[in-house]
């Protein structure tokens, strides 16, 4: 359980909140690059950390993320005309560049300097990999750009999707470090999902449904090791890294691409789940890429033209009780992503953690909450930069490995859980 | 046009529209609405865990003493005094001896605290006894990692959870989260 005030501290990310200020220390995924596919394309509404903005790509290919509303009369710039290196409000023609600087106010005299004094709040928007990243904190403290491996490998080795999840970011994130639900909720997927099936590790997963956990502190977050019995004298370990505040990876299976997530707050009752798959040493095959586009693995099948999953709360997640009876799915909901989302959304927009009954197996979640709280308060009270800002912290990998029983996963896997460009992932 | 008469006050159109819209929602959308959240059963949760916290060495005992000073429902705190490694002698923090088997009677979770390797054999004995009795065990190694590597290794086969680089606040957080 968590006290009400701590639950509020961890789940509120708007401007001026402790956790909101902490999130504003990091580069965060703001949108997929595919959302702004070409110069002068239509602008896109973006809401992050309870701030409404509009993103656009100008005539020179520069990305901008600015306050959604025109400084003149407050009309939404989503209706703006993206033309001539700026975004023009169609109401009275005020025009802004990618920094939010007003560059034209047609009603003013030709030589007027009025527009120089008008600037919308804006944030940088930078493309790394398939993602456009933003930093919403103090410009004077802008950290180095992120260096997550999924966004650093060549384009043919990586794929990222996103989906809208209708609950607080913390609920979604906590699923990302909760290894013990896999054996139950995702058991159908281990047998049939094209991006999961066939790995030797799946057999260990299914044979031993009661994993043991070791939770190890790192400079940037945690490693959560889940171990199950393997052959005589050995354990099968699945190691999940968490980089603060909201990056998690899933331990790999066989030679399948490695996957993971960013859980980005939209507001306090909604978040984006960015889901990626990449392979450190080879291109994704056409079959793998198609499976991701089709919503397999950690991805979702979305309503065309949107990032809303086709199975969502408005259609009861297309629950299929017959498929559940047949053993095709454990919960009746199809797809790994929506199996998680359906249960996390069912808790309500912000779950009341004062009502929980946690068990020792939830220690990863307990420790993560503690680290988030401590970091948010240290930033608020003493100005301490939180873990996970330093790109060195981003260079982590998940791993799956069989080890002799006496070995500590941390000792045995130091190299395996560190990014080594050109080196294959450690997997079973 | 005839207007149906009822004895009830007419529902204001806005409210009626809201009710109709609510009824048209899917089960899941309706169930997660703010309106429905008001009907969640809200009874106090009775602490259900009878936890025993066992400190294996001197520094761990100091931590246990500070943590024990807080208010707990069913948690009891012990220091491992040594003795036969197969049947270690525990003492309550006030010094009263307490045989391990007696301490474990009626408990369902044991939290073992260690800061060094001196308690390795006792860690194994406690872990094994808990295992035999179906008691969930958690091991917290306090302080710098590797000072208690052997104690961690001894606990590993039995402890459902190990935190190999914990600190005092982890003990508090774990016990609080477990509602002990």
């Amino acid at each position: 359980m968590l006290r009400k005030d701590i639950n509020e501290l961890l789940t509120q990310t708007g401007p001026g909140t402790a956790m909101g200020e902490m999130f504003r220390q990091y580069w965060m995924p703001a949108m997929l690059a595919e959302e702004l596919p070409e110069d002068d394309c239509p602008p896109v509404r973006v809401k992050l950390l309870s701030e409404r903005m509009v993103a656009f790509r100008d005539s020179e290919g520069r990305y901008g993320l600015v306050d959604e509303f025109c400084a003149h009369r407050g009309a939404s710039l989503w209706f703006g005309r993206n033309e001539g290196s700026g975004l023009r409000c169609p109401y009275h023609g005020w025009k802004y560049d990618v920094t939010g600087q007003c560059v034209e106010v047609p009603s003013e005299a030709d030589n007027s300097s009025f527009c120089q004094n008008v600037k919308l709040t804006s944030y940088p928007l930078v493309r790394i990999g398939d993602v456009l990243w933003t930093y919403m904190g103090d410009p004077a403290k802008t950290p180095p750009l992120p260096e997550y491996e999924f966004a650093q490998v060549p384009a043919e080795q990586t794929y990222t999707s996103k989906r809208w999840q209708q609950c607080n970011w913390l609920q979604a994130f906590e699923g990302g470090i909760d290894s013990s639900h896999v054996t139950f909720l995702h058991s159908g997927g281990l047998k049939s999902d094209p991006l999961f099936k066939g790995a030797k590790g799946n057999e260990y997963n299914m044979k031993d449904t009661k994993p043991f956990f070791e939770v190890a502190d790192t400079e940037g977050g945690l490693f959560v090791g889940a171990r199950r019995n393997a052959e005589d004298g050995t354990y099968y370990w699945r190691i999940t890294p968490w980089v603060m505040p909201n990056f998690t990876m899933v331990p790999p299976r066989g030679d399948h691409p490695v996957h993971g997530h960013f859980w980005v707050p939209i507001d306090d009752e909604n978040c984006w789940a960015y889901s990626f798959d990449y392979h450190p040493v080879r291109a994704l095959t056409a079959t793998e890429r198609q499976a991701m586009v089709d919503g397999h693995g950690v991805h979702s099948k979305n309503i065309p033209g949107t990032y809303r999953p086709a199975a969502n709360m408005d259609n009861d997640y297309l629950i299929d009780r017959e498929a559940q009876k047949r053993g095709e799915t454990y919960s009746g909901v199809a797809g790994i992503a929506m199996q998680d989302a359906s249960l996390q959304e069912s808790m309500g927009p912000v779950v009341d953690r004062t009502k929980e009954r946690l068990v020792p197996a939830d220690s990863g979640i307990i420790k993560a909450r503690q680290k988030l709280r401590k970091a948010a308060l240290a930033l608020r009270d003493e100005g301490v930069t939180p873990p996970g800002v330093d790109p060195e912290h981003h260079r982590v990998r998940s791993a799956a490995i069989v080890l002799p029983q006496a070995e500590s996963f941390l000792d045995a896997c130091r190299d395996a859980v560190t990014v080594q460009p050109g080196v294959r992932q450690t997997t079973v | 046009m005839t207007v149906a008469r009822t004895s009830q006050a007419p529902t204001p159109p806005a409210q009626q529209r809201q009710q109709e819209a609510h009824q048209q929602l899917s089960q899941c959308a309706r169930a997660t609405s703010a309106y429905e959240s008001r009907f969640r059963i809200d009874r106090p949760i009775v602490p259900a865990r009878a936890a025993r916290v066992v400190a294996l060495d001197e520094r761990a005992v100091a931590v246990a003493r500070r943590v024990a000073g807080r208010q707990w429902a069913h948690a009891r705190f012990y220091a491992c005094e040594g003795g036969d490694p197969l049947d270690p002698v525990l003492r309550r923090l006030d010094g009263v001896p307490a045989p391990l088997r007696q301490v474990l009677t009626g408990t369902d979770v044991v939290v073992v605290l260690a800061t060094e390797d001196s308690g390795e054999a006792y860690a194994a004995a406690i872990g094994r006894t808990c295992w035999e009795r179906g008691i969930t065990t958690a091991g917290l190694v306090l302080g710098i990692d590797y000072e208690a590597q052997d104690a961690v290794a001894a606990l590993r086969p039995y402890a459902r959870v190990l935190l190999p680089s914990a600190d005092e606040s982890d003990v508090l957080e774990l016990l609080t989260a477990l509602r002990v």
Side-chain angles (χ1 to χ4, degrees), chain A residues 1-2 208 210-217 227 235 237 312-317 345-349 351-363 366-367 369-370 373-374 405-411 414, chain B residues 25-34 40-49 109 131 136-138 145-146 149 152-153 155-167 169-171 173-174 176-179:
Chain A
M1 60 90 79
L2 207 56
D208 186 350
K210 292 189 170 187
F212 286 59
F213 294 94
E214 288 190 30
V215 183
D217 232 322
R227 79 158 214 253
Y235 291 135
W237 287 91
N312 58 58
M313 68 163 66
D314 288 340
N315 53 29
D316 291 332
Y317 305 95
E345 291 178 354
S346 78
M347 299 169 178
V351 68
D352 179 358
R353 292 181 173 78
T354 67
K355 300 283 193 332
E356 292 172 331
R357 287 176 185 272
L358 297 185
V359 294
D362 295 314
S363 288
I366 296 168
K367 182 77 181 170
R369 292 175 184 175
Q370 178 209 44
R373 176 174 56 81
K374 282 185 173 179
Q405 287 188 348
E407 270 198 78
S408 142
F409 86 83
L410 264 188
D411 291 342
R414 283 194 194 281
Chain B
L25 293 172
S26 70
Q27 272 198 49
C28 291
R30 196 162 60 238
T32 52
S33 65
R40 287 190 174 210
I41 293 171
D42 187 19
R43 301 233 172 92
I45 296 172
V46 181
R49 286 273 190 195
V109 63
W131 180 259
T136 301
T137 313
D145 202 355
Y146 306 121
Q149 206 171 13
V152 169
L155 272 173
R156 180 167 288 125
Y158 311 109
R160 180 64 59 184
V161 168
L162 275 175
L163 275 73
S165 50
D167 62 27
S169 68
D170 288 307
V171 185
E173 298 276 351
L174 180 64
T176 303
L178 297 181
R179 296 178 178 277

Side-chain angles (χ1 to χ4, degrees), chain B residues 3-24:
Chain B
V3 176
R5 290 172 184 277
T6 70
S7 57
Q8 292 176 331
T11 307
Q15 195 182 332
Q16 194 177 339
R17 279 200 304 274
Q18 206 175 5
Q19 279 174 2
E20 284 169 4
H22 187 70
Q23 284 158 7
Q24 285 164 7

Side-chain angles (χ1 to χ4, degrees), chain A residues 368-382:
Chain A
R369 292 175 184 175
Q370 178 209 44
K371 284 186 72 94
L372 286 168
R373 176 174 56 81
K374 282 185 173 179
L377 296 180
L379 172 69
R380 187 190 69 186
D381 300 338
E382 300 157 46

Side-chain angles (χ1 to χ4, degrees), chain A residues 23 26-33 35 46-49 53 65 124-126 128 130-136 146 148 150-151 160-162 245-247 261-266 271-276:
Chain A
F23 265 96
Y26 301 87
W27 284 97
M28 281 289 134
M31 57 202 304
L32 292 175
E35 295 179 71
V46 174
K47 183 158 72 161
L48 292 175
L49 305 178
M53 296 161 284
L65 184 62
L125 194 60
V126 177
I128 303 173
D130 294 335
V131 175
L132 298 181
W133 305 73
T134 190
Y135 166 75
M136 295 170 68
Y148 293 96
F150 83 95
T160 306
S161 67
K162 78 172 191 180
N246 59 344
F247 173 83
H261 303 278
F262 258 103
W263 314 95
V264 181
I266 297 174
C271 67
W272 288 118
Y274 284 83
S275 306
F276 61 81

Side-chain angles (χ1 to χ4, degrees), chain A residues 288-364:
Chain A
E288 286 170 340
R289 195 172 285 275
Q290 191 57 49
M292 294 165 198
V293 171
D294 291 343
H296 293 292
V298 294
H299 306 279
S300 59
K301 192 170 185 59
N302 293 339
I303 296 168
T306 77
Y307 293 101
R308 188 172 202 213
N312 58 58
M313 68 163 66
D314 288 340
N315 53 29
D316 291 332
Y317 305 95
L318 305 173
I319 193 165
D320 182 345
R321 298 292 188 187
E322 291 305 314
Q324 185 180 29
K325 264 189 197 168
R326 291 193 299 270
E328 292 166 17
T329 58
Y330 194 76
S331 72
V333 173
I336 307 284
M338 296 320 297
Q339 286 160 2
D340 285 325
S342 56
L343 296 181
Q344 291 157 1
E345 291 178 354
S346 78
M347 299 169 178
V350 185
V351 68
D352 179 358
R353 292 181 173 78
T354 67
K355 300 283 193 332
E356 292 172 331
R357 287 176 185 272
L358 297 185
V359 294
D362 295 314
S363 288

Side-chain angles (χ1 to χ4, degrees), chain A residues 45-307:
Chain A
R45 281 191 173 105
V46 174
K47 183 158 72 161
L48 292 175
L49 305 178
S50 301
E51 291 187 48
R52 287 178 61 176
M53 296 161 284
V54 67
F56 67 105
R57 177 169 157 180
D58 76 5
S59 313
E60 277 90 64
R62 293 173 299 203
Y63 293 106
L65 184 62
V66 302
D67 188 337
E68 182 186 337
F69 300 100
C70 180
H72 179 210
R73 299 280 307 280
S76 173
L77 291 169
W78 180 79
F79 291 98
R81 295 171 61 90
N82 189 7
E83 58 189 14
S85 302
L87 189 61
R88 188 186 294 281
C89 178
Y91 206 178
H92 302 92
W94 290 34
K95 187 176 178 184
Y96 304 91
D97 70 14
V98 290
T99 70
Q101 178 65 52
C102 184
V103 292
E104 205 180 318
V105 176
S107 60
E108 294 292 298
D110 284 349
N111 56 354
S112 167
S113 60
F114 171 71
C115 67
Q116 291 168 16
N117 300 319
V118 179
K119 189 172 188 299
L120 298 174
T121 296
S122 73
Y123 302 111
L125 194 60
V126 177
R127 179 171 182 169
I128 303 173
D130 294 335
V131 175
L132 298 181
W133 305 73
T134 190
Y135 166 75
M136 295 170 68
D138 179 354
K141 295 180 181 169
T142 305
L145 291 168
E147 294 189 15
Y148 293 96
E149 190 176 29
F150 83 95
Q152 301 277 336
V153 294
E156 64 272 19
Q157 292 174 219
T158 189
Y159 174 83
T160 306
S161 67
K162 78 172 191 180
R163 64 178 164 81
W164 171 30
Q165 183 155 336
Q166 293 176 260
C167 69
N168 183 266
W169 80 276
L170 189 66
Q171 256 153 269
F173 152 69
E174 287 178 348
I177 53 168
D178 169 16
S179 209
S180 59
H181 76 281
V182 175
T183 312
F184 297 94
L185 185 59
H186 303 318
S187 53
L190 293 185
K191 289 178 277 186
S192 61
D193 191 289
L195 297 168
F196 279 59
K197 68 180 181 184
K200 173 73 178 166
N202 297 356
E203 294 172 22
Y204 300 129
N205 251 108
M206 299 310 296
K207 272 186 195 158
D208 186 350
T209 59
K210 292 189 170 187
F212 286 59
F213 294 94
E214 288 190 30
V215 183
D217 232 322
T218 67
E219 282 189 21
L222 293 175
F223 284 121
V224 180
R227 79 158 214 253
R228 292 171 169 84
N229 290 314
E231 285 76 19
D232 284 349
T234 61
Y235 291 135
Y236 168 62
W237 287 91
R238 293 180 60 73
I239 303 159
T240 300
W242 167 51
V243 179
M244 288 180 66
N246 59 344
F247 173 83
T248 56
M249 288 183 73
V250 182
R253 295 182 185 280
D255 192 45
H256 289 304
V258 187
H259 27 254
H261 303 278
F262 258 103
W263 314 95
V264 181
I266 297 174
D267 54 32
D268 293 346
E269 298 189 351
N270 297 276
C271 67
W272 288 118
Y274 284 83
S275 306
F276 61 81
D277 256 297
Y278 75 102
H279 200 291
V281 296
R282 66 161 171 83
L284 305 179
T285 66
T287 311
E288 286 170 340
R289 195 172 285 275
Q290 191 57 49
M292 294 165 198
V293 171
D294 291 343
H296 293 292
V298 294
H299 306 279
S300 59
K301 192 170 185 59
N302 293 339
I303 296 168
T306 77
Y307 293 101

